[in-house]
């Protein structure tokens, strides 16, 4: 066991042991951030699901609390599944969650804090009238789950959506309620997309067209766009789309039907699933939590005694420059972990070269880097023939092209027998314009054989006058990368066996055949966060 302990992270949220999946009911209450999560108290694989609970003052340092809810009722006997919190105007907290009943029927249940004056919200009570919702006619008993946070309609009712599917069309059912106990099902659906399958953990929220502050979930009106997100059970990725909410008809329409939910943009092009956003009234921002599962084998998880992390919470806002995507960025609090930094300015990386960056150990890092491609080479490529490219089907970081790949090698050892490249690749697109791709290549991330070695990535828009930029958080077995201020994100789990602790290094590389790349970087060593177990106070005699 101790041999594998290096895979544990230093500043990512994870339980002491066992299995974790979806983030649940995040909220800020009486000075504390609350985080609940799907948890198996009995092992490192999915099953026996209950709600774990932890609190934090800053979303980085955590105190684990006792389980918030366990499977102790007929209506959640097969699992206390995912759900969301709503804070009412009088500051009461209500929690809606899915229960898998004694007969494995998916129903929605209501719970609330026993003692609202307790800022830690330690004790939870389930409503005596549960379940409050059962699968409606025409909906399969196992396709009705994950209620959202509720938002107010102009009529003063609370509205939620619940994910489902009909045949292969992923859908979101809509319900209105006044008291969270009785509900009215609205005709039709908020939205659905053929071929996308079951929508897990649907999310729905407003983003501002003018401000970078977050919006309270009920906000609506001029200057507001609405985001719909679904986690596709079939392909295990979180897809979102930006569009217009028609409150009166309880419908939502994507701005661009070609980039609709489930067929267009993803929050993250690596591992990131079952995410949930919440409005942080403390700092007026919208924060996104996402579940980062393992990409080693189940046997390895059982051996190490735990599975899964949560990503560093991300602030999300509409990208005002493009108007067509969100920006995701690690919450500013993570910067409080920054220790010493090293700066490298205007480093020239010639075609085919790999340059070590001497920063000592490189297992806990926050990296900010900019890249500039030689202008002449860009012009030459713009005149050449177009090339077909996609991160996942190309040859990875060692397949050379005129203008790429170039970027960083993280979690590498001295001789680079292990390395995880995070890189850009520029090609001429079929429309005659240069296109930029952002990728992560796991094929040489570990000499171990029981790990996923895919190449992840996507197109990323780079606007006139912008440099290429990337922010990377490295934490032992996770690499979270954000390109162009968070327009495209890639999270990977990697399992180096040599590039660990004091042996981990970082390099810049340029595998382009034609062009020199100039890079400037700032790299911080990152402190560990305190993520502490719960020790009940001893009662004095
Ligand atoms: C998503 C999910 C949810 C469900 C929960 C059960 O990962 O399958 O749809 O509520 O996990 O743990």
């Amino acid at each position: 066991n101790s041999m594998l302990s290096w895979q544990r992270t230093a500043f990512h949220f994870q339980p002491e042991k066992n299995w974790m999946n979806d983030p649940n009911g995040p909220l800020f209450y009486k000075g504390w951030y609350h985080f609940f999560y799907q948890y198996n108290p009995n092992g490192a694989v999915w099953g026996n699901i209950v709600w774990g609970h932890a609190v934090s003052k800053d979303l980085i340092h955590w105190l684990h609390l006792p389980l918030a809810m366990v499977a102790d009722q007929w209506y959640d006997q097969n699992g206390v599944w995912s759900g969301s919190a709503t804070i009412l105007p009088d500051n009461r907290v209500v929690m809606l969650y899915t229960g898998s009943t004694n007969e494995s029927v998916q129903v929605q249940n209501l719970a609330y804090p026993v003692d609202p004056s307790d800022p830690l919200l330690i004790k939870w009570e389930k409503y005596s009238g549960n379940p409050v919702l059962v699968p409606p006619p025409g909906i399969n008993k196992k396709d009705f789950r994950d209620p959202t946070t509720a938002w107010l309609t102009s009529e003063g009712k609370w509205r939620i959506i619940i994910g489902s599917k009909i045949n292969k069309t992923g859908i979101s059912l809509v319900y209105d309620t006044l008291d969270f106990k009785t509900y009215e099902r609205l005709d039709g659906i908020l939205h659905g997309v053929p071929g996308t399958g079951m929508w897990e953990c649907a999310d729905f929220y407003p983003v501002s067209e003018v401000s970078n502050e977050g919006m309270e979930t009920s906000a609506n009106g001029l200057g507001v766009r609405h985001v719909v997100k679904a986690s596709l059970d079939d392909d295990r990725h979180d897809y979102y789309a930006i569009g217009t909410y028609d409150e009166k008809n309880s419908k939502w329409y994507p701005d661009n039907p070609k980039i609709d939910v489930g067929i267009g943009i993803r929050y993250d092009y690596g591992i990131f699933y079952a995410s949930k956003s919440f409005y942080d009234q403390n700092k007026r921002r919208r924060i996104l939590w996402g579940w980062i599962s393992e990409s080693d084998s189940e046997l390895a998880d059982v051996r190490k005694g735990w599975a899964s992390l949560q990503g560093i919470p991300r602030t999300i806002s509409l990208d005002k420059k493009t108007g067509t995507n969100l920006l995701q960025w690690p919450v500013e609090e993570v910067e409080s972990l920054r220790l010493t930094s090293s700066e490298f300015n205007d480093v020239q990386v010639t075609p085919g070269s790999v340059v070590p960056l001497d920063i000592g150990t490189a297992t806990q890092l926050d990296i900010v880097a900019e890249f500039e491609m030689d202008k002449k080479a860009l012009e030459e490529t713009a005149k050449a023939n177009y090339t077909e490219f996609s991160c996942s089907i190309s040859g990875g970081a060692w397949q050379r092209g005129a203008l790429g790949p170039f970027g960083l090698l993280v979690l590498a050892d001295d001789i680079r027998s292990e390395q995880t490249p995070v890189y850009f690749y520029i090609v001429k697109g079929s429309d005659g314009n240069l296109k930029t791709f952002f990728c992560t290549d796991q094929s040489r991330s570990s000499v171990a054989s029981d790990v996923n070695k895919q190449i992840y990535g996507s197109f990323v828009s780079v606007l006139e006058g912008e440099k290429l930029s990337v922010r990377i958080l490295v934490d032992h077995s996770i690499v979270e990368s954000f390109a162009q201020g968070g327009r495209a994100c890639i999270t990977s789990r990697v399992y180096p066996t040599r590039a660990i602790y004091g042996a981990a290094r970082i390099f810049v590389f340029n595998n382009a055949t034609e062009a020199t790349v100039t890079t400037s970087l700032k790299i911080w060593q990152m402190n560990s966060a305190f993520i502490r177990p719960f020790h009940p106070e001893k009662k004095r005699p």
Side-chain angles (χ1 to χ4, degrees):
N1 247 19
S2 62
M3 240 187 72
L4 294 169
S5 66
W6 56 267
Q7 294 168 351
R8 280 192 74 86
T9 57
F11 58 91
H12 282 77
F13 181 84
Q14 55 183 136
E16 293 278 287
K17 56 178 183 183
N18 298 328
W19 167 273
M20 168 173 70
N21 55 294
D22 313 0
N24 291 149
L27 75 148
F28 181 80
Y29 186 73
K30 291 191 192 284
W32 291 92
Y33 290 99
H34 287 258
F35 183 71
F36 304 87
Y37 55 92
Q38 295 282 283
Y39 183 60
N40 178 358
N42 306 327
V45 297
W46 185 86
N48 316 300
I49 295 293
V50 300
W51 276 38
H53 183 193
V55 287
S56 171
K57 284 277 175 186
D58 62 2
L59 294 162
I60 299 296
H61 304 285
W62 294 92
L63 174 65
H64 288 294
L65 293 178
L67 299 177
M69 294 195 279
V70 298
D72 55 5
Q73 304 292 326
W74 69 267
Y75 54 75
D76 58 17
Q77 197 179 303
N78 274 303
V80 189
W81 287 4
S82 285
S84 307
T86 303
I87 303 181
L88 307 186
D90 64 2
N91 221 23
R92 270 184 304 145
V93 174
V94 298
M95 205 61 94
L96 285 175
Y97 72 92
T98 299
S100 178
T101 71
N102 51 357
E103 291 174 347
S104 290
V105 177
Q106 294 170 9
V107 299
Q108 316 313 323
N109 303 308
L110 168 65
Y112 29 79
V114 171
D115 177 9
S117 72
D118 169 19
L120 300 185
L121 301 176
I122 289 186
K123 290 221 161 72
W124 289 79
E125 183 171 314
K126 296 172 185 172
Y127 169 54
S128 59
N130 279 340
V132 294
L133 278 172
V134 300
I139 293 295
N140 189 294
K141 291 176 175 55
K142 293 187 176 181
D143 297 329
F144 183 58
R145 59 183 180 273
D146 312 332
T148 58
T149 293
W151 64 94
L152 273 172
T153 66
S154 46
E155 279 188 317
K157 291 179 179 168
W158 292 100
R159 182 167 289 175
I160 58 166
I161 57 173
I162 298 174
S164 186
K165 68 169 177 184
I166 291 178
N167 300 320
K168 285 189 172 138
T169 300
I171 59 169
S172 42
L173 303 166
V174 195
Y175 293 87
D176 279 358
T177 180
L178 285 168
D179 57 5
F180 291 87
K181 294 172 180 165
T182 58
Y183 294 76
E184 175 198 354
R185 159 110 197 261
L186 303 188
D187 283 344
I189 55 177
L190 182 86
H191 191 60
V193 180
T196 57
M198 176 65 196
W199 282 14
E200 296 190 309
C201 302
D203 202 358
F204 176 83
Y205 55 89
V207 286
S208 171
E209 283 182 314
V210 287
S211 161
N212 283 330
E213 285 191 350
M215 302 197 100
E216 201 276 316
T217 309
S218 300
N220 196 3
L222 264 184
V224 178
R225 318 287 313 135
H226 276 86
V227 176
V228 170
K229 183 279 291 192
S231 304
L232 302 196
D233 197 11
D234 293 349
D235 86 346
R236 313 303 289 171
H237 295 300
D238 279 17
Y239 290 83
Y240 72 88
I242 300 166
T244 304
Y245 170 45
D246 172 358
E247 191 216 284
K248 201 160 149 279
N249 298 305
S250 56
K251 294 253 176 261
W252 173 92
Y253 303 97
D255 288 347
N256 179 350
K258 288 203 187 105
I259 45 177
D260 203 341
V261 184
I263 58 171
I265 356 179
R266 280 162 52 178
Y267 276 151
D268 194 295
Y269 288 84
I271 304 184
F272 188 91
Y273 193 66
S275 65
K276 187 177 298 295
S277 75
F278 77 105
Y279 177 67
D280 169 16
Q281 70 276 26
N282 182 41
K283 286 198 167 182
R284 297 200 200 171
R285 56 188 171 173
R286 183 159 290 273
I287 291 174
L288 180 68
W289 277 102
W291 164 39
I292 318 294
S293 57
E294 301 296 317
S295 59
D296 60 354
S297 64
E298 196 167 272
L299 184 65
D301 296 345
V302 172
R303 278 204 199 112
K304 66 186 194 257
W306 59 271
S308 302
L309 311 172
Q310 298 293 330
I312 294 297
R314 303 172 180 180
T315 304
I316 41 180
S317 58
L318 183 67
D319 185 346
K320 310 297 184 293
K321 291 190 186 136
T322 63
T324 54
N325 58 274
L326 298 172
L327 294 176
Q328 304 170 62
W329 201 243
V331 292
E332 59 185 10
E333 288 89 336
V334 77
E335 294 164 30
S336 70
L337 297 175
R338 287 173 171 177
L339 300 167
T340 55
S341 63
S342 311
E343 271 187 70
F344 303 87
N345 289 312
D346 298 322
V347 182
Q348 306 265 319
V349 194
T350 52
S353 63
V354 179
V355 181
L357 299 174
D358 185 16
I359 62 160
T361 178
T363 38
Q364 294 176 213
L365 302 178
D366 187 349
I367 304 163
V368 174
E370 272 185 355
F371 296 90
E372 254 183 308
M373 177 48 76
D374 178 70
K375 291 247 159 48
K376 264 220 188 83
L378 281 176
E379 284 161 15
E380 287 304 310
T381 306
K383 282 184 236 150
N385 290 338
Y386 97 90
T387 343
E388 205 68 66
F389 184 84
S390 116
C391 296
S392 59
I393 61 166
S394 75
W398 309 105
Q399 177 86 18
R400 302 183 64 177
L403 301 182
F406 57 91
L408 293 163
L409 307 176
V410 301
L411 291 172
D413 58 338
D414 275 318
I415 59 162
R416 293 188 291 112
S417 65
E418 292 181 327
Q419 57 191 0
T420 300
V422 178
Y423 57 96
F424 290 102
Y425 198 114
I426 305 171
V427 295
K428 182 169 170 184
S430 52
D431 62 358
N433 296 318
L434 291 177
K435 286 179 86 173
T436 304
F437 291 83
F438 176 54
C439 326
T440 297
D441 178 354
Q442 302 185 101
S443 60
R444 301 192 197 177
S445 62
S446 174
V447 297
S449 57
D450 66 337
V451 304
N452 181 310
K453 294 190 174 175
Q454 252 176 289
I455 300 161
Y456 299 135
S458 92
F459 162 80
V460 58
S461 36
V462 180
L463 306 183
E464 189 74 45
E466 283 182 351
K467 288 184 184 171
L468 297 181
S469 67
V470 64
R471 167 110 180 258
I472 308 175
L473 298 173
V474 177
D475 187 6
H476 298 266
S477 66
I478 181 170
V479 178
E480 287 162 289
S481 307
F482 305 82
Q484 302 310 109
R487 261 181 216 143
C489 312
I490 307 175
T491 300
S492 25
R493 296 300 311 282
V494 288
Y495 302 86
T497 62
R498 299 168 181 168
I500 63 174
Y501 297 127
R505 301 281 177 266
I506 177 171
F507 299 82
V508 283
F509 78 102
N510 177 9
N511 257 335
T513 53
E514 307 287 314
T516 293
V517 170
T518 308
T519 178
S520 294
L521 307 99
K522 187 162 185 179
I523 306 175
W524 287 266
Q525 296 289 341
M526 292 292 269
N527 209 343
S528 302
F530 294 107
I531 302 178
R532 291 284 164 87
F534 178 69
H535 292 301
E537 273 173 59
K538 298 221 171 64
K539 289 235 169 67
R540 300 226 173 94

